[in-house]
PDB file of all heavy atoms in Angstrom:
ATOM      1  N   GLU A 891       9.757   2.225  -4.707  1.00  0.00           N
ATOM      2  CA  GLU A 891       9.328   2.184  -6.106  1.00  0.00           C
ATOM      3  C   GLU A 891       7.819   2.401  -6.266  1.00  0.00           C
ATOM      4  O   GLU A 891       7.373   3.124  -7.164  1.00  0.00           O
ATOM      5  CB  GLU A 891       9.719   0.840  -6.716  1.00  0.00           C
ATOM      6  CG  GLU A 891       9.634   0.853  -8.203  1.00  0.00           C
ATOM      7  CD  GLU A 891      10.825   0.135  -8.848  1.00  0.00           C
ATOM      8  OE1 GLU A 891      11.917   0.198  -8.297  1.00  0.00           O
ATOM      9  OE2 GLU A 891      10.607  -0.476  -9.875  1.00  0.00           O
ATOM     10  N   SER A 892       7.028   1.811  -5.386  1.00  0.00           N
ATOM     11  CA  SER A 892       5.580   1.937  -5.556  1.00  0.00           C
ATOM     12  C   SER A 892       5.123   3.361  -5.216  1.00  0.00           C
ATOM     13  O   SER A 892       4.207   3.900  -5.863  1.00  0.00           O
ATOM     14  CB  SER A 892       4.828   0.893  -4.739  1.00  0.00           C
ATOM     15  OG  SER A 892       5.103   1.059  -3.390  1.00  0.00           O
ATOM     16  N   GLU A 893       5.768   3.980  -4.238  1.00  0.00           N
ATOM     17  CA  GLU A 893       5.400   5.363  -3.910  1.00  0.00           C
ATOM     18  C   GLU A 893       5.763   6.285  -5.090  1.00  0.00           C
ATOM     19  O   GLU A 893       4.977   7.152  -5.477  1.00  0.00           O
ATOM     20  CB  GLU A 893       6.152   5.791  -2.640  1.00  0.00           C
ATOM     21  CG  GLU A 893       5.504   6.918  -1.895  1.00  0.00           C
ATOM     22  CD  GLU A 893       4.137   6.568  -1.323  1.00  0.00           C
ATOM     23  OE1 GLU A 893       4.006   5.586  -0.588  1.00  0.00           O
ATOM     24  OE2 GLU A 893       3.188   7.310  -1.633  1.00  0.00           O
ATOM     25  N   SER A 894       6.941   6.054  -5.670  1.00  0.00           N
ATOM     26  CA  SER A 894       7.362   6.867  -6.823  1.00  0.00           C
ATOM     27  C   SER A 894       6.392   6.690  -7.991  1.00  0.00           C
ATOM     28  O   SER A 894       6.079   7.643  -8.710  1.00  0.00           O
ATOM     29  CB  SER A 894       8.759   6.454  -7.288  1.00  0.00           C
ATOM     30  OG  SER A 894       9.653   6.509  -6.224  1.00  0.00           O
ATOM     31  N   LYS A 895       5.923   5.460  -8.173  1.00  0.00           N
ATOM     32  CA  LYS A 895       4.987   5.173  -9.263  1.00  0.00           C
ATOM     33  C   LYS A 895       3.664   5.926  -9.044  1.00  0.00           C
ATOM     34  O   LYS A 895       3.058   6.459  -9.983  1.00  0.00           O
ATOM     35  CB  LYS A 895       4.738   3.666  -9.323  1.00  0.00           C
ATOM     36  CG  LYS A 895       3.927   3.202 -10.497  1.00  0.00           C
ATOM     37  CD  LYS A 895       4.030   1.678 -10.658  1.00  0.00           C
ATOM     38  CE  LYS A 895       3.010   1.175 -11.652  1.00  0.00           C
ATOM     39  NZ  LYS A 895       1.654   1.071 -11.052  1.00  0.00           N
ATOM     40  N   ALA A 896       3.237   5.992  -7.789  1.00  0.00           N
ATOM     41  CA  ALA A 896       1.990   6.707  -7.469  1.00  0.00           C
ATOM     42  C   ALA A 896       2.143   8.197  -7.814  1.00  0.00           C
ATOM     43  O   ALA A 896       1.232   8.813  -8.381  1.00  0.00           O
ATOM     44  CB  ALA A 896       1.652   6.525  -5.990  1.00  0.00           C
ATOM     45  N   VAL A 897       3.298   8.756  -7.506  1.00  0.00           N
ATOM     46  CA  VAL A 897       3.541  10.178  -7.832  1.00  0.00           C
ATOM     47  C   VAL A 897       3.559  10.372  -9.343  1.00  0.00           C
ATOM     48  O   VAL A 897       3.019  11.350  -9.872  1.00  0.00           O
ATOM     49  CB  VAL A 897       4.865  10.666  -7.188  1.00  0.00           C
ATOM     50  CG1 VAL A 897       5.184  12.085  -7.630  1.00  0.00           C
ATOM     51  CG2 VAL A 897       4.791  10.571  -5.665  1.00  0.00           C
ATOM     52  N   LYS A 898       4.136   9.408 -10.043  1.00  0.00           N
ATOM     53  CA  LYS A 898       4.207   9.493 -11.512  1.00  0.00           C
ATOM     54  C   LYS A 898       2.804   9.491 -12.120  1.00  0.00           C
ATOM     55  O   LYS A 898       2.539  10.199 -13.105  1.00  0.00           O
ATOM     56  CB  LYS A 898       5.034   8.310 -12.031  1.00  0.00           C
ATOM     57  CG  LYS A 898       5.097   8.143 -13.523  1.00  0.00           C
ATOM     58  CD  LYS A 898       6.419   8.692 -14.062  1.00  0.00           C
ATOM     59  CE  LYS A 898       6.633   8.345 -15.523  1.00  0.00           C
ATOM     60  NZ  LYS A 898       5.700   9.045 -16.406  1.00  0.00           N
ATOM     61  N   GLU A 899       1.898   8.724 -11.546  1.00  0.00           N
ATOM     62  CA  GLU A 899       0.523   8.700 -12.056  1.00  0.00           C
ATOM     63  C   GLU A 899      -0.124  10.080 -11.943  1.00  0.00           C
ATOM     64  O   GLU A 899      -0.867  10.509 -12.830  1.00  0.00           O
ATOM     65  CB  GLU A 899      -0.296   7.639 -11.302  1.00  0.00           C
ATOM     66  CG  GLU A 899       0.015   6.230 -11.807  1.00  0.00           C
ATOM     67  CD  GLU A 899      -0.412   5.129 -10.862  1.00  0.00           C
ATOM     68  OE1 GLU A 899      -1.171   5.409  -9.914  1.00  0.00           O
ATOM     69  OE2 GLU A 899       0.034   3.982 -11.079  1.00  0.00           O
ATOM     70  N   VAL A 900       0.178  10.752 -10.858  1.00  0.00           N
ATOM     71  CA  VAL A 900      -0.362  12.110 -10.679  1.00  0.00           C
ATOM     72  C   VAL A 900       0.289  13.073 -11.681  1.00  0.00           C
ATOM     73  O   VAL A 900      -0.388  13.906 -12.285  1.00  0.00           O
ATOM     74  CB  VAL A 900      -0.145  12.588  -9.223  1.00  0.00           C
ATOM     75  CG1 VAL A 900      -0.605  14.034  -9.057  1.00  0.00           C
ATOM     76  CG2 VAL A 900      -0.878  11.674  -8.249  1.00  0.00           C
ATOM     77  N   ALA A 901       1.602  12.934 -11.871  1.00  0.00           N
ATOM     78  CA  ALA A 901       2.309  13.794 -12.833  1.00  0.00           C
ATOM     79  C   ALA A 901       1.722  13.599 -14.239  1.00  0.00           C
ATOM     80  O   ALA A 901       1.526  14.573 -14.980  1.00  0.00           O
ATOM     81  CB  ALA A 901       3.799  13.475 -12.825  1.00  0.00           C
ATOM     82  N   ASP A 902       1.453  12.375 -14.603  1.00  0.00           N
ATOM     83  CA  ASP A 902       0.891  12.094 -15.935  1.00  0.00           C
ATOM     84  C   ASP A 902      -0.513  12.689 -16.072  1.00  0.00           C
ATOM     85  O   ASP A 902      -0.875  13.207 -17.138  1.00  0.00           O
ATOM     86  CB  ASP A 902       0.859  10.586 -16.188  1.00  0.00           C
ATOM     87  CG  ASP A 902       2.270  10.021 -16.389  1.00  0.00           C
ATOM     88  OD1 ASP A 902       3.216  10.812 -16.569  1.00  0.00           O
ATOM     89  OD2 ASP A 902       2.420   8.783 -16.334  1.00  0.00           O
TER      90      ASP A 902
END
Side-chain angles (χ1 to χ4, degrees):
E891 195 138 326
S892 61
E893 203 65 55
S894 306
K895 187 166 169 281
V897 175
K898 174 101 171 69
E899 282 162 13
V900 176
D902 289 347

